[in-house]
Structure formats: structure tokens, C-alpha cells
Amino acid sequence: MDLVQSPSMPQRGLRNWQLFALLLAVLGELFLAGDWYGFAAVMPFVAKSLSLSPGQAGFGQGAFAITYAIGMVIWSPLGRKMSARMLFAIGLVGAGIAMVLQAQVQTYAMLIVMRLLIGFFDAAVWVGTMKLIVGWFPLKRHGMTMGALLAAFSFAITLDFAIGIPVSEAHGWRVFFEAMGIATLAVGVFGALTIKGSPRELGLVDFSWEEGPAHTRIEASSPWSVFKSKWVYVGGLAIFGDTFAIGAVTTWVVPAFIETQGMPVASAAAIGSTMGLAQVVILLIGGWLSDRVSRTTMVKVGAALCVVSALSFVFAVKTALPWSGMLAISAFSGVVVLSGGAIFSLVSEKYGESMAATAIGFAELGGIISTFIAPALMGAIIGATHSFTLAFGVFAVVEVVIFGVLLVAAR
């Protein structure tokens, strides 16, 4: 387990706390992602109920990212002084209350207000879970543990589609949001009662990880000094590419297949679940590779695969496909997250334990921006041109540009 041994607690006890911290971090990500993409999963039902245009629906999904970004700018520097317990609890309790209120909205304006509230509080969850990972796991395990964390994020997307669509068909989308909000609240309360942020919070005040050579680590006296290094920008751009792809496919692949392939709405759950499960598998594989292969290499390979996935969807909306073809392309889209664990472990490697959560939070701004841009931009294009081909073509162009920049920058 790569621990500096302490006579105060046996290694088995520390390992149990380590596993418990990972479990809590996974739970946090499950509900962060569930709140985030729950709207995307049931968007056809919400759009019909509130009479939303494609542009409004895309903005409704992307609006989450506006206050998630604002929250990240606030919570990331605060995260140096706030405990993982406090961040986790504030984030999930606040987001859970907003989710319950989201189920009650009657207008588009109120829907946007609730999406904005959820985004702000979920940003605290992200910073809190990063503190848990950095506090409980050594650097050489960050690829796998962060890959598992991101896999939980993608698994939540799978559950959103697998559960959200049938529940919304049977009982309405409001029931789905209410249940999600109550469960989010419950996890927040559980975390507030149980979380320990690191072995030092167990009374091991002199505890430290056995660190390797610090030839690349950047020590910073201020949270804002992380911007003096290029790695926060490299990480942010790589995250931008990955989450642009996730936002694009999660929000618009199902409507595209319904429109261009004549897919029944009832089949949407299978498509969404396939995309989510594929991401889970790829993230676990990518996390394992990230602890064994150069992380900069993984980042560039991941960006290249985002390009290939985008082009596959351009093909899919232009060409008649059998059901097996739609499932195959949906499953292949999981490759866009191969570098997820590598990106975050690369940033933590460059900044060290004291600054890793803050640096990761700032790098995550790249993902937040793309999470807003991808659904809203593609929704605006579809609404204006009625062309899914053009919308997915823009998706492909964005990924090509990102890949080109990372080839130069991630060295």
C-alpha cells in the first residue's frame, strides 16, 4: 500500500480506511454525474412537457456548466483549507435540494435556475472527491483510482438512461428527478457523518506517502500560482476534448438516431446504457494503463481517439444503419475517455499532494466549459439548420484542433 509505517495503526486498518475513502469518492461521483446528466437522459420528456426547442433543450443541459465553472473557481482555492468532509456534504446536500426543486418547475426559466444551482453545489463535490483520492492514495496509484472515479461518473450516465427513461415513461420525469434528489441528499448526509480526508485525520499527524523524486513537482504558496505552469493548461485542454465528446454524444446521439435512423424512443435506453457502460470499461482500462505508460502519451492517444469517435458519428447520421450498427458505434464512443485517469494523475504528479486538488479543480474548468459549449452549440446548429450531419461535423473539427494542439503542448 506504499505507506510510511506508523505504530499507531496497523496497515490493515489503514487499508480499510483507504478502501472506504474510495467508496465514498465513487458515491460522490455517481450522484454528481447523475444530477448532471439526468436531464440529458430524460430531455425528450422534459422538452415535450415544457415545450422546449432543440436550442433551449441543449442550453438546459449545458447551463449546468456555467455555475459549475463558477463553483470550481470558488471551491478549488477554498479546497486547500476546507476538509473533504465539508466539501462533500455541502455539495451533495445543496445539489440534492436543488434536484428536488427541479422536479417542481413549470417554466423554462425556472428549469434553468435549478440547473444553475445544481451546478454550483456539484462543483464542491468534485473538489472534495479529489481531496479524498489525493489524501488516501500514493501518486503511483492515482491513474487507477482516478480512472475508477471517472468510471463511476460514466456508470451514473448509464444508470440515468437505463433507469430515467423507463421511470419517466411510466411515472413522469418529475418522479425521476425527485428520487434522484432524495438519494443525493442521503449520500451527502452519510458523507458528513463518516468521511476522513486522510490518515492524518485519524490522528497520524506525521503521516506521509513515500514520494519518488520530485524533479517535476511544482510547489506553490498560493492557489493561483498553479497557473504559472503549463500543465494546468494541458490538463484543461485534454479534459475539454474528452468532455466535449461526452457532452456531444450523451445529449445528441439519441435524438440523432431517432431522427436520422428512425429509431423508436423506447430503444433510447439501450443506446444510452451502451455508451455509458463502454465508458466505464474504457476508463478502468485507461486508468490501469496510466500507471504503466507515459501519461503524456496517454493524453495524446486519448485525443486521437476522440477524433475517430466524432468521425464515426458523422458517418452514422449520414448512412442508414442496422440496429447492430447503432449499438456498435455507441459502444465505440467509450474510447473518448481512455485518457481520463491519465489527465488527472498527470496534473497531480506535476503539482504534488498539497496543490493537486486545487490544480485539478482549475484544470477541470476546461471540461466545464466544453460541457456547456457542446450541447448548446450542437443544439443551436440543429435548431437553425435541422442538420445532425453539420452538428456532428463541428464536433469532429473541434476534436481535430484539440488533438493538434496537444501533440505540441503535452511534451
Side-chain angles (χ1 to χ4, degrees):
M1 196 169 65
D2 308 297
L3 297 173
V4 173
Q5 295 301 311
S6 168
S8 302
M9 179 174 288
Q11 185 169 330
R12 178 176 295 180
L14 283 170
R15 183 180 289 112
N16 290 340
W17 275 103
Q18 202 177 31
L19 294 174
F20 183 63
L22 181 60
L23 172 64
L24 287 175
V26 165
L27 278 174
E29 287 305 294
L30 276 172
F31 284 93
L32 190 163
D35 297 346
W36 192 331
Y37 286 97
F39 178 81
V42 301
M43 186 171 65
F45 303 98
V46 180
K48 182 178 180 180
S49 174
L50 300 181
S51 301
L52 306 182
S53 68
Q56 288 175 320
F59 183 80
Q61 172 63 18
F64 180 103
I66 297 173
T67 44
Y68 192 84
I70 294 171
M72 200 65 72
V73 172
I74 293 172
W75 299 116
S76 291
L78 288 176
R80 289 194 74 192
K81 297 182 178 179
M82 293 178 67
S83 68
R85 178 204 303 266
M86 186 175 295
L87 289 163
F88 193 90
I90 289 173
L92 286 173
V93 169
I97 292 171
M99 279 291 288
V100 172
L101 294 175
Q102 183 178 249
Q104 314 305 318
V105 301
Q106 301 295 329
T107 66
Y108 177 61
M110 287 307 300
L111 174 68
I112 297 302
V113 170
M114 291 302 109
R115 298 292 295 157
L116 294 174
L117 281 174
I118 295 168
F120 177 77
F121 285 107
D122 269 340
V125 181
W126 173 257
V127 179
T129 55
M130 287 299 100
K131 283 183 73 74
L132 282 175
I133 293 299
V134 172
W136 281 103
F137 291 90
L139 179 61
K140 69 179 184 179
R141 297 287 179 259
H142 284 185
M144 188 63 192
T145 52
M146 290 186 182
L149 207 63
L150 295 172
F153 191 99
S154 293
F155 185 59
I157 298 174
T158 304
L159 294 178
D160 278 335
F161 282 90
I163 297 173
I165 291 175
V167 168
S168 297
E169 284 183 319
H171 306 289
W173 58 271
R174 297 181 190 277
V175 172
F176 173 62
F177 283 158
E178 286 174 351
M180 182 75 74
I182 292 169
T184 302
L185 266 168
V187 174
V189 172
F190 176 72
L193 296 173
T194 61
I195 281 180
K196 298 292 183 183
S198 74
R200 286 182 288 276
E201 293 186 17
L202 297 175
L204 307 180
V205 294
D206 296 325
F207 175 88
S208 65
W209 293 109
E210 289 182 354
E211 296 285 2
H215 61 280
T216 59
R217 191 161 300 112
I218 298 156
E219 296 299 338
S221 58
S222 163
W224 304 104
S225 61
V226 299
F227 292 106
K228 295 179 180 178
S229 164
K230 75 172 183 177
W231 293 108
V232 72
Y233 305 104
V234 170
L237 182 62
I239 298 168
F240 183 101
D242 284 8
T243 53
F244 193 100
I246 294 171
V249 302
T250 304
T251 307
W252 291 113
V253 165
V254 166
F257 282 172
I258 291 173
E259 177 71 23
T260 65
Q261 302 290 343
M263 182 183 77
V265 175
S267 299
I271 292 294
S273 299
T274 298
M275 291 190 293
L277 287 173
Q279 289 177 21
V280 171
V281 173
I282 296 298
L283 278 165
L284 293 174
I285 294 172
W288 182 83
L289 287 172
S290 297
D291 290 331
R292 292 160 176 81
V293 178
S294 165
R295 286 161 180 169
T296 52
T297 298
M298 289 291 295
V299 166
K300 288 178 278 191
V301 170
L305 290 173
C306 285
V307 174
V308 178
S309 177
L311 292 174
S312 74
F313 281 112
V314 174
F315 172 79
V317 297
K318 287 174 62 67
T319 308
L321 295 173
W323 174 241
S324 59
M326 288 186 277
L327 283 176
I329 289 178
S330 299
F332 179 74
S333 71
V335 299
V336 303
V337 297
L338 179 72
S339 60
I343 296 168
F344 293 110
S345 54
L346 174 65
V347 174
S348 68
E349 172 187 317
K350 298 302 181 182
Y351 288 93
E353 182 179 348
S354 65
M355 292 299 297
T358 298
I360 290 170
F362 284 131
E364 175 70 357
L365 288 172
I368 298 162
I369 293 168
S370 68
T371 301
F372 169 72
I373 292 175
L377 174 62
M378 293 180 67
I381 293 171
I382 294 164
T385 67
H386 305 288
S387 173
F388 283 97
T389 301
L390 180 59
F392 280 93
V394 169
F395 165 31
V397 170
V398 169
E399 298 296 347
V400 168
V401 171
I402 291 170
F403 175 54
V405 175
L406 287 175
L407 280 178
V408 177
R411 294 187 296 177

